[in-house]
Amino acid sequence: MTVAREIRIEGVVQGVGFRPFVFRLASEFGIKGWVLNSSEGVTIWAEAEEEVIKGFYREILAHPPKLAMIVNHSIKPRELKGYDHFFIKHSERSDHKDVIISPDVSVCDDCYQEIMDPNDRRYHYPFTNCTNCGPRFTIIMDVPYDRDKTTMRDFPMCPDCAREFEDPMFRRFHAQPNCCPKCGPQVTLRDLEGNVYPGFGHEFIKEGKILAVKGLGGFHLVCDATNRESVAALRKRKIREFKPFAVMCKDLEVVKRYCHLSPQEAELLESPAHPIVILKRRRLDDLPPEIAPGIHTLGVMLPYTPLHHLLFAEGLEILVMTSANISDDPLIIDNDEALKKLKGIADYFLMHNRKIYNRCDDSVTAVVGGEVQIYRRARGYVPLPVDLPVDPPAVILACGGDLKSTFCMTKGRGAYLSQHLGDINHYGNYQQFLYTIPRFEKMLDVKPEIVVYDLHPDYMATRWAKALKGLRKIGVQHHQAHMASCLAENQVTEPALGVVCDGTGYGLDGAIWGFEFFAGTVDKLERMAHLAYIPLPGEITIKHPSRMAFTYLYEIFGDAGLQYARKYLTALPSEEQQVLVKQLENRFNTVLTSSCGRLFDAVSALLGVCTRVQYEGQAAIELETQADITDAVPYSFDFNTATYPYTLGVRSTFQEILEDLQQNIPISIIAGRFHSTIAEMIIKVLERMRKDTGLSVVALSGGVFQNRLLYLLLIRRLAEQGFEVLSHRKVPTNDGGLSLGQVYIASEVIRKDVSCHSIEDIKN
Ligand code: ZN
Ligand code: ZN
Ligand code: FE
């Protein structure tokens, strides 16, 4: 008996070839009816024998198109209409916009073959794409996802492209950005004088010139990574002395030549997102030292647009590909802006006339201990949601932190994190924060009812949030948000233990926290232990680790510490040392801190590894690079349980480090022992906390856990001690993941209707 069923599929189902897939499947199964893109997702009307429809439904769920992500689905009986064929219905507009927009997808194999085939009409055409690949988030201005709602609306399709677009059996069926050399965007290669050149600029790159290249989410600055003069020039012109440059390699073979590459890392490089993957270099002398000074890793990606593939001609195999921005301002996305701001940096400009609507940096990832970790979540991942463990009782907007900023907006159980917005103390980044929020509201069709902010009174996002009128505002402590972020992505609602090792964050007592131990559920996290407080002599200390080393020496050893400082902190001028003594004595312009990042800074400077910081975490990263952890015996430390919260003291740690220094023990050994000390500290405290609370699930969060040496040592040791360890896989462990934790805490505070001393709650 023929029956009718209505099937609804929600999730990432538009712009991923879902309808042609359903169409082909329906013909295979002999099903009549239609398929339709609606604002909620995809709706299918199926008429056939009940068993046949069941098989069809099962197949859709079991083998959807590669890029699809099904979040919800349902099947309901309907009255038979008696269709005589299966067809694709035109999009209808309805009030709900529940379709999840797809992130940008790297060029697929089929499209790659076409651009490399001299007989194909898309030979060397840099904007070739299909339903399986191409731009999405970066060009989408509104939903539902149709060409007229993207920046491709400026390019009407030619008859050939229109035919492909209408053919349900073809892979460009309803590929919204579909285009060809006849009808689509075009590239231009020019110099600052306005002279235009043919081609993609290989000859200039080979000559050692620097190109500004417009990509998917913004411009890159590009040069030959094997040419020392070019790389050094780029560094000088960009006024960036130390921060490592990312590179793009022609293919996996080239990657393998320069870096160690596990099968999992190769898979990540080739995944649809094509992120930057941090890899360990094989040797340090095969590329100019200016690529990544002071570190042994390299951020590598593969070409992800046809234009990138076309850059690798005439023997070019590895290119520096660094974001085109000036001193931490937002990535440049506009042609005129590029010509103006990159004057004096880029020699040539490879630009095109397709607009970038949503700015999006390259994502940065690594495989650590067999798991993917995301350090910067942007292109290829945004705007996919992260599932919350609970249903938030309202639409929540969480504003995130300050550096590595992201915000997060909820829709149902989905937590939608914005792309990485950078340091929003910079005017341009703050502007981007301001205009990206309404874009997410539009894209998700939600209006936030609750806004969540970090307690730091000077954060730009905090000031902005507190000034909002007419909605409830909830302030959340920085490190509690870190821990909650880890619990959220691991779907934990039960009480747990947490360790947050971080740079800085505003504490509930006004001190700067950063090495914190909590226990409880996210709405009631109790601070059970922390690193003992030490004064932080002014904000500038964050950029000058020697000042932190000096502070530890002086605070711990008094006048004896001054002798050590003279001997080991040679980078710190003696006049500055004298001023510091006065400052510390009078507690002038100092704030107390328990930061783990600052402890790493102090040791890094004391060992002479890094004395001046130009990017966040630099001193710790360089210390990690130096460290040899084989057989590293931890130094002793003080675990004080006489007062509560418990504290960790480092007097004996510094004592023993100084002894090692006096005996000329290699820096690598001391650095290794220091890493192992931090791990032992954490274990010692957690063991006590487990005894006190009976809990043994531990969440690890905070920027310091980007330190792979520490992280791997710690998770191994924790497992040995019988702890169940939770860490970050979906959002960054650094402040990029903060907004997710803020959402989770606020959601639970409202849902359970609790008020807690650690949470500010303004109901107006
Ligand atoms: Zn394709
Ligand atoms: Zn065309
Ligand atoms: Fe943080």
Side-chain angles (χ1 to χ4, degrees), residues 140-318:
I140 290 175
M141 303 187 289
D142 198 1
V143 286
Y145 172 54
D146 276 325
R147 192 185 187 92
D148 64 348
K149 297 223 172 358
T150 73
T151 60
M152 282 300 291
R153 68 175 174 191
D154 301 340
F155 305 96
M157 267 182 269
C158 71
D160 285 340
C161 286
R163 213 169 301 125
E164 294 170 333
F165 187 84
E166 296 300 336
D167 178 1
M169 303 309 274
F170 193 59
R171 77 171 208 287
R172 293 209 165 87
F173 176 70
H174 285 215
Q176 302 299 341
N178 185 33
C179 58
C180 74
K182 259 193 279 172
C183 64
Q186 301 295 335
V187 295
T188 357
L189 177 63
R190 53 165 290 181
D191 60 19
L192 275 166
E193 280 76 52
N195 302 309
V196 175
Y197 305 86
F200 301 106
H202 315 112
E203 63 279 24
F204 298 130
I205 299 179
K206 288 192 76 165
E207 261 172 38
K209 297 289 194 265
I210 295 168
L211 259 65
V213 178
K214 189 174 182 181
L216 265 186
F219 275 78
H220 282 115
L221 287 164
V222 178
C223 73
D224 180 357
T226 62
N227 184 329
R228 182 163 187 185
E229 263 170 58
S230 309
V231 180
L234 179 57
R235 214 167 253 299
K236 218 169 121 200
R237 293 186 201 172
K238 231 191 144 187
I239 321 172
R240 182 186 257 195
E241 266 179 279
F242 295 114
K243 198 172 179 180
F245 286 149
V247 299
M248 184 177 273
C249 291
K250 182 169 183 277
D251 52 34
L252 280 184
E253 290 315 306
V254 179
V255 178
K256 278 183 205 156
R257 212 179 311 140
Y258 291 100
C259 297
H260 297 279
L261 188 71
S262 71
Q264 221 187 341
E265 288 166 332
E267 196 184 311
L268 183 56
L269 279 171
E270 291 190 303
S271 65
H274 266 49
I276 293 173
V277 181
I278 311 265
L279 299 173
K280 199 151 178 54
R281 287 174 70 176
R282 284 191 184 276
R283 40 195 293 182
L284 296 176
D285 58 359
D286 54 359
L287 289 173
E290 288 82 1
I291 292 242
I295 60 176
H296 299 172
T297 54
L298 195 59
V300 181
M301 57 187 152
L302 291 174
Y304 55 81
T305 68
L307 186 57
H308 292 150
H309 281 292
L310 296 170
L311 288 176
F312 291 93
E314 291 173 46
L316 290 170
E317 291 187 318
I318 178 165

Side-chain angles (χ1 to χ4, degrees), residues 477 479-480 483 496-501 513-520 525-532 594 596 637 639 644-648 678-689 698-700 705 714 718:
Q477 201 278 323
H479 304 100
Q480 297 187 343
M483 175 174 170
L497 304 176
V499 192
V500 182
C501 288
W513 294 8
F515 195 162
E516 310 300 319
F517 296 80
F518 301 105
L525 289 174
E526 186 172 326
R527 188 191 197 200
M528 291 186 70
H530 61 86
L531 180 67
S594 56
C596 186
F637 55 90
F639 181 36
Y644 188 80
Y646 311 137
T647 52
L648 282 164
I678 300 289
E680 285 316 303
M681 283 176 172
I682 294 171
I683 285 161
K684 185 90 178 230
V685 176
L686 286 173
E687 279 176 338
R688 173 62 188 250
M689 287 169 69
V698 186
L700 306 183
F705 288 122
L714 182 63
L718 283 171

Side-chain angles (χ1 to χ4, degrees), residues 393-406:
V395 176
I396 301 174
L397 164 64
C399 299
D402 201 26
L403 304 168
K404 298 188 164 74
S405 163
T406 63

Side-chain angles (χ1 to χ4, degrees), residues 22-50:
V22 170
F23 183 87
R24 282 192 291 268
L25 209 59
S27 353
E28 270 173 42
F29 277 81
I31 285 171
K32 316 278 189 255
W34 45 257
V35 56
L36 163 79
N37 258 3
S38 65
S39 291
E40 290 90 18
V42 165
T43 307
I44 303 160
W45 187 280
E47 298 189 350
E49 297 276 321
E50 184 159 10

Side-chain angles (χ1 to χ4, degrees), residues 105-112 114 128-134 136 171-172:
V105 184
S106 59
V107 55
C108 74
D109 291 342
D110 292 332
C111 289
Y112 175 76
E114 288 175 339
T128 305
N129 67 83
C130 71
T131 47
N132 301 319
C133 75
R136 299 288 188 274
R171 77 171 208 287
R172 293 209 165 87

Side-chain angles (χ1 to χ4, degrees), residues 477-754:
Q477 201 278 323
H478 188 95
H479 304 100
Q480 297 187 343
H482 268 300
M483 175 174 170
S485 169
C486 183
L487 294 176
E489 68 161 86
N490 284 286
Q491 301 287 310
V492 177
T493 53
E494 302 295 302
L497 304 176
V499 192
V500 182
C501 288
D502 205 26
T504 53
Y506 199 76
L508 294 171
D509 52 4
I512 299 294
W513 294 8
F515 195 162
E516 310 300 319
F517 296 80
F518 301 105
T521 50
V522 295
D523 53 293
K524 263 200 175 70
L525 289 174
E526 186 172 326
R527 188 191 197 200
M528 291 186 70
H530 61 86
L531 180 67
Y533 284 142
I534 186 148
L536 177 75
E539 276 278 302
I540 59 157
T541 303
I542 295 174
K543 300 254 153 116
H544 295 88
S546 303
R547 291 173 63 92
M548 203 63 223
F550 183 89
T551 305
Y552 265 107
L553 293 179
Y554 185 68
E555 289 291 312
I556 293 174
F557 305 109
D559 286 344
L562 297 179
Q563 309 290 334
Y564 296 129
R566 259 193 291 282
K567 185 160 177 200
Y568 297 111
L569 304 179
T570 46
L572 195 66
S574 58
E575 309 82 68
E576 194 174 346
Q577 300 199 12
Q578 281 160 23
V579 175
L580 272 171
V581 169
K582 286 212 189 80
Q583 193 177 352
L584 292 169
E585 279 307 317
N586 303 322
R587 290 288 191 261
F588 172 73
N589 186 23
T590 61
V591 51
L592 292 175
T593 184
S594 56
S595 162
C596 186
R598 295 297 82 76
L599 178 57
F600 266 90
D601 286 357
V603 173
S604 190
L606 180 59
L607 302 187
V609 172
C610 176
T611 55
R612 200 160 52 99
V613 165
Q614 288 193 341
Y615 60 93
E616 203 196 355
Q618 184 186 340
I621 292 168
E622 292 183 4
L623 187 65
E624 178 191 1
T625 303
Q626 295 289 321
D628 177 359
I629 201 123
T630 349
D631 306 320
V633 184
Y635 293 115
S636 39
F637 55 90
D638 319 303
F639 181 36
N640 172 17
T641 53
T643 52
Y644 188 80
Y646 311 137
T647 52
L648 282 164
V650 288
R651 163 182 278 273
S652 50
T653 315
F654 274 91
Q655 185 87 56
E656 291 173 22
I657 290 176
L658 288 164
E659 281 163 22
D660 273 1
L661 274 173
Q662 267 146 4
Q663 289 173 31
N664 292 317
I665 304 285
I667 298 301
S668 59
I669 304 287
I670 304 179
R673 294 188 66 185
F674 173 69
H675 277 77
S676 145
T677 311
I678 300 289
E680 285 316 303
M681 283 176 172
I682 294 171
I683 285 161
K684 185 90 178 230
V685 176
L686 286 173
E687 279 176 338
R688 173 62 188 250
M689 287 169 69
R690 175 164 62 183
K691 216 171 105 205
D692 289 355
T693 62
L695 302 170
S696 60
V697 173
V698 186
L700 306 183
S701 192
V704 171
F705 288 122
Q706 273 181 241
N707 182 319
R708 291 197 247 182
L709 212 54
L710 173 66
Y711 173 78
L712 289 173
L713 178 66
L714 182 63
I715 58 169
R716 180 167 59 78
R717 293 280 291 116
L718 283 171
E720 283 167 11
Q721 303 303 316
F723 287 97
E724 188 192 327
V725 183
L726 307 173
S727 42
H728 287 278
R729 307 268 178 268
K730 297 176 183 157
V731 302
T733 190
N734 59 47
D735 284 8
L738 209 60
S739 57
L740 176 67
Q742 293 175 336
V743 156
Y744 187 23
I745 290 180
S747 168
E748 287 298 84
V749 165
I750 303 161
R751 203 172 62 89
K752 298 186 183 172
D753 197 21
V754 290

Side-chain angles (χ1 to χ4, degrees), residues 412-432:
R413 256 177 119 125
Y416 292 80
L417 278 85
S418 72
Q419 67 271 43
H420 163 89
L421 302 169
D423 175 358
I424 62 167
N425 283 302
H426 284 263
Y427 179 77
N429 295 327
Y430 180 61
Q431 290 305 309
Q432 195 193 351

Side-chain angles (χ1 to χ4, degrees), residues 260-411:
H260 297 279
L261 188 71
S262 71
Q264 221 187 341
E265 288 166 332
E267 196 184 311
L268 183 56
L269 279 171
E270 291 190 303
S271 65
H274 266 49
I276 293 173
V277 181
I278 311 265
L279 299 173
K280 199 151 178 54
R281 287 174 70 176
R282 284 191 184 276
R283 40 195 293 182
L284 296 176
D285 58 359
D286 54 359
L287 289 173
E290 288 82 1
I291 292 242
I295 60 176
H296 299 172
T297 54
L298 195 59
V300 181
M301 57 187 152
L302 291 174
Y304 55 81
T305 68
L307 186 57
H308 292 150
H309 281 292
L310 296 170
L311 288 176
F312 291 93
E314 291 173 46
L316 290 170
E317 291 187 318
I318 178 165
L319 300 173
V320 167
M321 258 295 151
T322 183
S323 311
N325 55 350
I326 308 300
S327 57
D328 294 330
D329 262 351
L331 191 57
I332 293 170
I333 58 174
D334 180 73
N335 292 353
D336 292 336
E337 193 191 0
L339 288 169
K340 212 164 75 195
K341 291 196 176 159
L342 298 177
K343 195 173 166 176
I345 298 182
D347 303 304
Y348 296 93
F349 295 78
L350 185 58
M351 310 199 290
H352 60 73
N353 55 347
R354 184 177 72 203
K355 285 191 202 94
I356 297 170
Y357 185 70
N358 291 307
R359 173 182 282 117
C360 208
D361 285 89
D362 293 316
S363 293
V364 180
T365 63
V367 176
V368 185
E371 303 275 359
V372 174
Q373 295 194 349
I374 301 179
Y375 298 146
R376 181 163 81 195
R377 191 174 179 276
R379 179 187 52 76
Y381 298 102
V382 174
L384 289 181
V386 176
D387 264 353
L388 290 165
V390 294
D391 235 322
V395 176
I396 301 174
L397 164 64
C399 299
D402 201 26
L403 304 168
K404 298 188 164 74
S405 163
T406 63
F407 64 79
C408 177
M409 208 177 279
T410 64
K411 175 168 187 160

